[in-house]
């Protein structure tokens, strides 16, 4: 289950948190499940689920998945923010 | 129709065409169950059922966390909110009916209920407003649970606690395999990102081919083809069809964190009943964060009120129970698309984007638009 959004680490906020660009929207994401946040993660891609990075993925995979999500978002006019939460 | 904006002639990329050709080349009938709401979304969205050969049937199992959260757990969350606590949870969870009402209904009656994107947002609220008793209603499978565990391992404020209704996927799949009319399973890709492929091996040993799949149309077709190949060879094992995100051992850090905070318990699944060892509850060391214990006296009378409203019985609004176990299709429900729609859901399967009824309503009355 569960929608996870790919994104690229732009900067490190603190030892737990990184700022991740997910399709043009930057969010602070918790990196605890990746062993914490550190500078070496900048530029790398991760799957993000409910505010936490859950897996590292390749740039190619990140772009493919984001393309699919954009396609879905563009076609689905009644989606609400709350229904994207889980 | 809500699908009016779909392209009239969606492209079917070469890889998908090749996979489809291979799938059509197999004559072996296969009834496949997936246990992931996002898989259902992809299948319905891209009309995969309509392009599969007749001998391949794909049905949806209990893969939507909102759908399987039992009414009683929602009743408790509502009772807590009505008792004065601030109950925060994911948006979808707010709309799922309990025995008498949803958390959103309770909010409209004045109870303090808030939507959050992450458990960290709930903790931030507790830190910002120490006068509130903030209770995070934590639902979900192994994809979501590690986040809850990681949050509790950090120092959380005294006015924050967790009401858990968390579940583990493999025991539910094994439970269903005992009497469901299913030949093979597509395993959930993002759950496997955390737990790896090994927890599904015992099911494969019982004779069920299993394929972990990702979430693009090609991923689903690949999963189906992997299952076909196993079935044709007369073998059953766990194939990893999503290796770009799933390692056989899963995310070891997430598993360690999850096991440090939570332990296995039996758990009630809405529409299915109790499944042994399928739940995850807080370990004793964390019981001060357990809202069910912390506020037991506080919500007891409010919970009694909720129970009185229903006479202690679940409302029979729909056939979500049969749908969750692959015994019925949404279109067989008398309320589907009538008294039960995404804007006014009567049952949990119509609430979330991961619900089978939601996707069938949204994309097609038969589970998906035709794409080829």
């Amino acid at each position: 289950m569960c929608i996870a959004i790919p994104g690229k680490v732009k900067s490190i906020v603190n030892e737990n948190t990184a700022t991740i660009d997910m399709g043009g929207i930057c969010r602070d994401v918790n990196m605890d499940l990746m062993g914490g946040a550190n500078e070496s993660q900048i530029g790398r891609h991760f799957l993000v689920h409910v505010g936490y990075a859950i897996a590292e993925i390749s740039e190619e995979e990140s772009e493919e998945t984001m393309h699919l999500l954009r396609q879905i978002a563009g076609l689905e006019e009644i989606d609400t923010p709350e229904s994207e939460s889980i | 129709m809500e699908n009016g904006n779909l392209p009239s002639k969606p492209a079917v990329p070469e890889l998908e065409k090749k996979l489809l050709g291979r799938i059509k080349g197999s004559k072996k009938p296969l009834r496949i169950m997936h246990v992931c709401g996002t898989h259902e979304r992809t299948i319905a969205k891209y009309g995969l059922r309509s392009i599969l050969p007749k001998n391949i049937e794909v049905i949806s199992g209990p893969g939507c966390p909102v759908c399987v959260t039992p009414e009683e757990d929602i009743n408790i969350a509502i009772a807590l909110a009505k008792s004065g606590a601030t109950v925060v949870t994911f948006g979808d969870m707010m709309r799922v009916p309990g025995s008498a009402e949803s958390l959103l209904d309770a909010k409209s009656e004045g109870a303090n209920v808030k939507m959050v994107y992450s458990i960290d947002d709930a903790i931030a609220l507790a830190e910002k407003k120490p006068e509130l008793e903030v209770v995070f209603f934590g639902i979900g499978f192994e994809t979501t649970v590690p986040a809850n565990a990681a949050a509790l391992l950090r120092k959380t404020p005294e006015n924050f606690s967790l009401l858990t209704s968390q579940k583990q996927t493999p025991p539910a799949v094994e439970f269903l395999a005992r009497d469901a009319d299913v030949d093979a399973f597509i395993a959930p890709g993002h759950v496997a990102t955390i737990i790896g492929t090994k927890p599904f091996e015992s099911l494969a040993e019982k004779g069920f081919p299993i394929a972990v799949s990702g979430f693009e149309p090609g991923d689903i077709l690949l999963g189906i083809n992997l299952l076909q190949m196993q079935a044709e060879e007369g073998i059953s094992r766990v194939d990893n069809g999503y290796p770009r995100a799933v390692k056989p051992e899963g995310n070891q850090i997430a598993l360690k964190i999850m096991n440090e905070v939570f332990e296995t318990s039996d758990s009630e699944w809405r529409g299915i009943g109790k499944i042994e060892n399928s739940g995850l509850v807080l370990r004793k060391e964390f019981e001060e964060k357990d809202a069910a214990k912390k506020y037991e006296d506080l919500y007891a009378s409010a919970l009694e009120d909720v129970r009185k409203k229903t006479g202690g019985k679940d409302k029979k609004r729909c056939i979500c129970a049969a749908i969750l176990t692959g015994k019925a299709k949404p279109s067989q429900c008398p309320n589907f698309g009538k008294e039960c729609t995404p804007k006014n859901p009567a049952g949990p399967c119509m609430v979330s984007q991961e619900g089978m009824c939601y996707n069938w309503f949204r994309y097609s009355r038969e589970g998906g638009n035709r794409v080829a």
Side-chain angles (χ1 to χ4, degrees):
Chain A
M1 61 146 269
C2 303
I3 297 170
I5 313 276
K8 181 179 181 179
V9 174
K10 302 297 284 184
S11 60
I12 301 301
V13 179
N14 58 40
E15 61 184 3
N16 303 111
T17 314
T19 301
I20 292 189
D21 181 344
M22 293 178 281
I25 298 169
C26 286
R27 279 194 73 108
D28 284 352
V29 171
N30 189 292
M31 302 298 285
D32 284 359
L33 305 179
M34 297 288 105
N38 62 70
E39 297 287 327
S40 75
Q41 291 161 341
I42 292 173
R44 287 156 61 187
H45 293 75
F46 294 87
L47 277 176
V48 179
H49 173 65
V50 294
Y52 282 68
I54 60 168
E56 183 168 5
I57 54 173
S58 68
E59 181 174 359
E60 185 186 31
E61 158 64 6
S62 177
E63 284 172 2
E64 280 178 14
T65 308
M66 189 51 79
H67 174 74
L68 179 78
L69 291 171
R70 281 202 192 98
Q71 193 184 359
I72 289 173
L75 292 171
E76 296 181 355
E77 69 287 356
I78 68 162
D79 282 354
T80 56
E82 59 264 74
S83 60
E84 293 285 1
S85 297
I86 293 177
Chain B
M1 282 290 287
E2 293 191 29
N3 59 14
N5 287 343
L6 285 170
S8 57
K9 288 183 182 176
V12 180
E14 279 306 308
L15 177 63
E16 278 81 345
K17 279 182 184 168
K18 282 181 185 169
L19 284 166
L20 193 57
R22 288 168 60 169
I23 289 169
K24 287 180 175 174
S26 172
K27 301 299 172 203
K28 193 167 181 65
L30 215 50
R31 187 168 152 87
I32 300 165
M33 177 180 270
H34 71 75
V35 282
C36 175
T38 312
H39 280 160
E40 180 58 35
R41 184 180 163 94
T42 301
I43 291 164
K45 166 82 187 166
Y46 291 94
L48 298 187
R49 288 190 179 90
S50 69
I51 60 173
L52 289 172
K54 283 193 169 62
N55 63 347
I56 299 292
E57 188 180 3
V58 182
I59 57 172
S60 177
C64 162
V66 163
C67 303
V68 298
T69 301
E71 289 188 5
E72 187 71 349
D73 288 7
I74 298 169
N75 294 344
I76 291 170
I78 290 169
L80 269 170
K82 289 189 168 181
S83 302
T86 299
V87 173
V88 294
T89 191
F90 299 123
D92 284 339
M93 200 61 244
M94 291 175 65
R95 299 174 63 219
V96 178
S99 298
E101 58 186 340
S102 66
L103 278 161
L104 200 58
D105 295 330
K107 182 181 173 73
S108 70
E109 293 167 20
N112 207 356
V113 179
K114 291 183 186 300
M115 185 194 89
V116 287
Y117 170 73
S118 157
I119 188 172
D120 288 9
D121 294 343
I123 293 167
L125 175 67
E127 284 168 345
K128 190 178 172 187
K129 301 210 167 181
E131 71 277 15
L132 299 179
E133 290 294 332
V134 176
V135 176
F136 180 68
F137 186 21
I139 64 146
F141 303 134
E142 296 94 332
T143 326
T144 314
V145 176
N148 296 345
L152 288 188
L153 282 179
R154 297 193 302 275
K155 187 172 165 44
T156 55
E158 278 187 21
N159 62 326
F160 174 83
S161 59
L162 182 67
L163 180 67
T164 64
S165 186
Q166 305 169 149
K167 308 207 180 308
Q168 301 187 80
T169 312
V173 179
E174 294 215 19
F175 180 87
L176 286 170
R178 283 179 212 156
D179 71 346
D181 179 20
V182 174
D183 304 310
F185 289 92
I186 292 177
H190 287 147
V191 164
T193 299
I194 302 294
I195 67 173
T197 56
K198 288 192 173 89
F200 295 103
E201 284 176 359
S202 62
L203 188 60
E205 286 165 9
K206 293 184 174 78
F208 293 94
I210 298 169
V212 177
S213 287
F215 300 92
E216 298 188 42
D219 289 323
I220 303 287
L221 295 176
L222 174 63
I224 291 169
N225 192 223
L226 289 169
L227 295 173
Q228 282 180 312
M229 288 193 286
Q230 289 190 46
E232 281 173 356
E233 290 176 40
I235 60 169
S236 58
R237 65 177 179 227
V238 184
D239 282 334
N240 185 359
Y242 193 31
R244 58 194 193 273
V246 174
K247 295 174 188 166
E249 70 277 16
N251 180 336
Q252 290 287 307
I253 297 170
L255 284 172
K256 182 175 179 293
I257 288 172
M258 190 165 79
N259 291 329
E260 201 172 331
V261 176
F262 298 108
E263 62 185 356
T264 293
S265 69
D266 296 342
S267 184
E268 192 78 19
W269 292 58
R270 187 172 187 148
I272 297 173
K274 186 174 281 186
I275 301 178
E276 284 183 8
N277 301 320
S278 68
L280 283 163
V281 295
L282 283 161
R283 289 186 183 277
K284 193 168 175 53
E285 305 91 279
F286 295 89
E287 68 180 8
E288 66 181 27
K289 290 294 169 189
D290 189 343
K293 290 179 180 163
K294 187 175 179 183
Y295 303 112
E296 193 172 11
D297 296 335
L298 187 68
Y299 74 67
S301 62
L303 182 58
E304 193 58 36
D305 286 345
V306 174
R307 286 174 176 160
K308 273 182 192 167
K309 277 187 187 176
T310 62
K313 291 178 183 172
D314 286 359
K315 262 188 180 177
K316 297 295 177 199
R317 308 177 189 86
C318 57
I319 61 166
C320 276
I323 291 165
L324 285 170
T325 50
K327 291 173 181 160
K329 293 176 180 175
S331 48
Q332 291 173 282
C333 179
N335 290 331
F336 179 78
K338 296 168 189 163
E339 291 173 33
C340 186
T341 64
K343 285 183 179 169
N344 188 25
C349 297
M350 189 61 93
V351 171
S352 164
Q353 288 183 43
E354 298 189 40
M356 190 170 186
C357 291
Y358 175 96
N359 282 301
W360 279 50
F361 182 89
R362 185 79 189 268
Y363 298 116
S364 159
R365 296 301 188 265
E366 290 305 324
N369 294 294
R370 181 168 289 275
V371 297

